[in-house]
Structure formats: structure tokens, C-alpha cells
Amino acid sequence: MHKLLLIFFCSFLIISCDNTKNKKANGTYLGGVIENPRVDYVILSHNDKVIDTINLDDNNRFSYKNDSLCEGLYTFKHREYQRFYLEKNDSILLHINTIDFDESLKYSGIGAEKNNLLMKIFLDNEKVQKKLTSWFVLSPTEYLGKLDSVNKAHGKFCTKYSTKTYDSSDSFNQIVDANLTYDMYLWKELYISSKLLDGNAAIQEQLPAAFLTHRKEIDFGNDLMRSHYSYYRFLDNYYNNVAFNKYKNVDSFDRENYTHASSKMLTINNLTNNEPLRNKLLRRSAIDYLLHTTDVENATKLFNQFKEFSSNKENIEELEHILDNTLKIVPGSIIPDVQLVGIDNQTKTLHTVIKRPTVIYFWTYESTTHYREVHDKANYLKIKYPNYDFIAINADDNFRKWRKIVETISTDKNTEYQLDNLSSAKSVLILDTPERTIIVDADGKIKNASAEITDLAFEDVL
């Protein structure tokens, strides 16, 4: 399979200094325009560190110049995000329409060819990603056949671009290589995870040898790729599967339980030889557990394990804060009394609006499908369970936009609220996702803090 990849790189990554040397600018420049902006700024990051926040002007344009940016992968964020590659003296312009973020993203200027190539690879592989669920029912051999077909498509891709010339650095060539390689690795690990979730605990022993050859080729400390989505997502899923091998004789595969989270962190700590990458993966694993657990004892044990393994003091302080807030919203605790704003722009506290057993569900206008689903489900449950109140809380920061949507979709505007101090409220309520639903009694005591109102089994917890 990987011979085709090597052929691809040999023919595609043609270095032609003559074409671009004279085009290089003095200093590295990034600029562009955002259609339908969601906020009035963009954020530029490198290796998970924010470099700068760049404001949009009245025409939704931005510009940024920095003479000291180093070569490598950068992250451009405007609610959603995408990664791009910068070399010294590149001068890149980008155009985004937030309605169709990734598909609309186009680069121009010096250095644009490299990034349009990366976007092409990203979008093509996203199309493959959407097909994976239907492929998971195949046998391992048939599944590998599908992946081989993807490699052949990469070969055609090679032919198309081999006629072009690029002033490509060795680092960029490695990025392209690793991008394609680790997506392939990821798709193999996702197949394994799907079988584990189906209850086949022995799948990793049953696979043909050819299916697992990639595990002998993993670079567990690639500093160049450590912030790249393909590489990071592969490692995260690989560690899920390998961690299960350590507890498969005592528990089933469940990525949200304590046994899995603890085993995964131990695996990450033992195998990852790049310290920043190891810290990042440990943080992800610990947060995934702490944000969804209501088990005080195990939450504390997992945090102590994280604290032992992580060398990042900021991450430790962050996780300690999450742990403290997690312990405040476990069943039996009184729900934090956050500030709310009503449709009339009047401020109230959460405790004052709780008068009976109450279902509190959250939503964001970033997902039209979700906010319609949760409101429809709440309207249905209000009739079926008249002894409960149902309160909808919006987790966005634009009051006018929220109120406009509420006036369109709500059947009872007196039960609609928006979080007043968004960042603080999201922190104390552990709102990592709008899918969260909290059920309390008439005194505000939490009965369930990890439900989802759209879940088919939600009525079982009422």
C-alpha cells in the first residue's frame, strides 16, 4: 500500500527554486476576507500556542505581518479552524465563507500552492471518512481492499499534480507524507474500534497480519506533526485500542469509563516520547473522562494519575479546576447558581427560575438541526410530564441573534434564557457540549447531570 505513497511523493514534490525565489516577499504576511463572519476576529496559533488575535475591519478583512514566524504548521481559527503551512517570507491570502467553511477555503499569493494542496488532501480524505461507517461491516480483507482503492486515487492525484512545480521544503514534504500516511493508519484503527464497540473483544488477535503492519511504523514523537489533525487523531484512536488490551479480561470496551481512561493515560505515558505531544494527549484523555463522569472517587483518582504523568503546570491547573467543577454538579449537589438573561433582557439567577422538578437543556445557534431537535423534544415531554418544568438555556454570546431565533422556534418564551457571563457559566456547568441536559428537583438538587434530552432512553431517567 505504502509503495504507492512513495511513488506519489517522488513525482509530486518537485522542487523548483527558479520559479519562486524571486517572488518571495520581505517578511511573512497573512491576510484575507471572511464572508458571513461569526465573530469580529481571527486567531492565529502555532503548536497549540496563540500567537495573535487579528481583528476584522468593517469590510470583514484582516491582515497580519510578522518577520519572525518560523516555518511550520499554523492554525487559523474563526469559530471553526483549519491548519495551513507557512514558510519564511510567504505572503498568503485566504478567502472563507463560514456557511461552508472548509469547502470554501481558498488560498492565493506566495505559498498558496502548498496550502491548496493540503486542503485538497484534507477534503478528499474527509469524503473517505464519511464512507467508513458503511465499510466497517466488511471483512478485514475487504476493508483493506477499500483502503487500497483510496491509495490508487492518491496515485491519480499524483499524476494530476506532477506537472506542477513547487518550491517545497523538506519539512513540508514530510507534512504531506505524514498527512496521507496517518489518515490511512487512522482508518485501520477506527475499523478496530468499531468491532470493539460491537462487542468483539478479540478482534485485534483475529486480524490478518497485513492489517496491523502500520503499528510497526508509528513515530510516537513526531514534533513536526504533533499539532496536525491526522497525526493527533490517529494516535488518540490507536491508544484507545491498545489501552483496551490491558483491561479486556476485566471490563468491556467503553471509552468513557474510568478503567479505560486510566489505562489509556498509562499507555500514552509509556509510549509517547515527545513531551509536548504526550502532555496534549494526556490532557485530552483526562478531560474526556472528567467532563462526563459523576463518580467523585474515580474522578479524583484519575486527576491524581494525570498530575503524576503530566509535566505541563497550566494543564494541571486547568484539570484541577475542571475536577472542582465536576464535583459540584454530581447527583446530590445543588446546581451552581449562574446568571441568566431572559427574552426581555432582564437578568435572573438559575435558582430563582427553578420552582419545580426541572429539566434544563442547552443549545447553540451554531447547530440549527440540534436546537430544533431539542426544542421539539422538550415540547413533546412538557405534555407527557406536566409535573416537570423545561428550561432552555442558550450558550452563545450574541443576544440579538439568540432572541431572534427564540421568537421563531419557541412555544414558551418565558422558559428561554441565555447565559449572562458565558465563559464563567460554561466553566462551572462543565458545558463542553450543547448536548448536555441536567435534571434537578424543586430545590435545585441535581438528580442527573449527564443526560441528553434527545436520547431515546431519556424518559427512563425522569
Side-chain angles (χ1 to χ4, degrees), residues 260-277:
H260 180 83
S262 178
S263 177
K264 183 177 179 180
M265 286 210 302
L266 180 62
T267 305
I268 291 170
N269 189 61
N270 289 342
L271 294 182
T272 313
N273 51 41
N274 179 285
E275 185 176 3
L277 176 62

Side-chain angles (χ1 to χ4, degrees), residues 30 37 41 76 139 149 161 186 201 209 211 240 262 283 299 359 372 385 395 397 403 409 434 440 456:
L30 177 70
Y41 57 87
F76 170 89
S139 70
S149 295
Y161 282 92
L186 168 67
F211 203 103
N240 277 330
S262 178
R283 175 186 175 275
V359 174
R372 292 188 183 281
Y385 298 91
D397 55 5
R403 186 166 61 181
I409 66 170
V440 300
L456 292 176

Side-chain angles (χ1 to χ4, degrees), residues 40 49 74 132 150 182 190 259 297 318 363 370 411:
D40 59 359
K49 299 290 185 182
Y74 287 78
L132 292 182
V150 174
Y182 282 104
L190 289 177
T259 304
E297 180 180 355
E318 177 194 17
W363 62 279
H370 177 258
T411 59

Side-chain angles (χ1 to χ4, degrees), residues 221-235:
N222 192 317
D223 191 62
L224 184 64
M225 284 289 289
R226 66 183 168 92
S227 64
H228 194 283
Y229 185 60
S230 298
Y231 177 66
Y232 179 77
R233 187 169 61 165
F234 158 72
L235 283 178

Side-chain angles (χ1 to χ4, degrees), residues 105-375:
L105 179 54
K106 294 292 186 295
Y107 298 93
S108 60
I110 303 169
E113 297 96 337
K114 297 189 294 292
N115 289 294
N116 284 324
L117 170 62
L118 291 179
M119 279 304 302
K120 169 67 175 173
I121 295 171
F122 172 81
L123 293 174
D124 283 355
N125 285 354
E126 284 293 294
K127 292 176 183 177
V128 174
Q129 189 81 15
K130 293 176 181 178
K131 299 177 183 177
L132 292 182
T133 302
S134 64
W135 293 355
F136 289 159
V137 299
L138 302 174
S139 70
T141 302
E142 291 172 326
Y143 187 77
L144 284 180
K146 291 290 187 181
L147 298 191
D148 283 336
S149 295
V150 174
N151 256 339
K152 290 178 181 178
H154 286 157
K156 293 179 180 179
F157 183 64
C158 153
T159 302
K160 177 180 178 180
Y161 282 92
S162 62
T163 57
K164 298 184 179 182
T165 56
Y166 294 83
D167 183 15
S168 303
S169 66
D170 289 341
S171 294
F172 177 75
N173 296 351
Q174 292 175 40
I175 289 289
V176 178
D177 188 354
N179 192 349
L180 291 169
T181 299
Y182 282 104
D183 268 338
M184 282 289 175
Y185 291 0
L186 168 67
W187 297 334
K188 288 186 176 183
E189 295 298 332
L190 289 177
Y191 179 87
I192 296 170
S193 294
S194 74
K195 300 305 179 184
L196 293 176
L197 289 169
D198 287 342
N200 185 355
I203 181 62
Q204 297 182 81
E205 291 75 38
Q206 298 169 350
L207 291 169
F211 203 103
L212 296 174
T213 54
H214 68 285
R215 288 186 171 182
K216 299 178 182 179
E217 302 171 3
I218 302 169
D219 180 350
F220 289 101
N222 192 317
D223 191 62
L224 184 64
M225 284 289 289
R226 66 183 168 92
S227 64
H228 194 283
Y229 185 60
S230 298
Y231 177 66
Y232 179 77
R233 187 169 61 165
F234 158 72
L235 283 178
D236 188 60
N237 281 274
Y238 168 77
Y239 286 135
N240 277 330
N241 296 336
V242 174
F244 175 66
N245 288 330
K246 299 181 183 299
Y247 68 85
K248 63 183 178 182
N249 295 324
V250 297
D251 208 345
S252 58
F253 184 70
D254 184 350
R255 290 176 292 202
E256 292 186 358
N257 71 16
Y258 169 77
T259 304
H260 180 83
S262 178
S263 177
K264 183 177 179 180
M265 286 210 302
L266 180 62
T267 305
I268 291 170
N269 189 61
N270 289 342
L271 294 182
T272 313
N273 51 41
N274 179 285
E275 185 176 3
L277 176 62
R278 181 170 61 249
N279 286 333
K280 182 178 179 180
L281 287 161
L282 288 169
R283 175 186 175 275
R284 165 71 178 269
S285 183
I287 284 180
D288 282 350
Y289 178 74
L290 292 176
L291 290 178
H292 297 96
T293 187
T294 56
D295 187 321
V296 174
E297 180 180 355
N298 281 338
T300 304
K301 285 168 58 179
L302 191 87
F303 170 74
N304 288 334
Q305 182 184 13
F306 170 79
K307 188 176 180 180
E308 176 187 351
F309 292 161
S310 178
S311 62
N312 188 305
K313 293 182 180 180
E314 291 182 2
N315 288 354
I316 293 173
E317 291 175 359
E318 177 194 17
L319 268 292
E320 188 170 26
H321 178 69
I322 290 175
L323 174 65
D324 289 343
N325 287 333
T326 296
L327 301 184
K328 294 175 184 176
I329 58 169
V330 297
S333 301
I334 299 296
I335 191 168
D337 195 20
V338 297
Q339 294 282 327
L340 305 174
V341 178
I343 198 76
D344 56 359
N345 204 17
Q346 297 299 308
T347 303
K348 297 181 180 180
T349 66
L350 179 56
H351 286 184
T352 62
V353 301
I354 296 173
K355 305 183 187 312
R356 299 195 302 159
T358 303
V359 174
I360 304 166
Y361 61 98
F362 299 86
W363 62 279
T364 170
Y365 49 62
E366 296 296 337
S367 175
T368 304
T369 300
H370 177 258
Y371 72 63
R372 292 188 183 281
E373 285 181 351
V374 294
H375 279 85

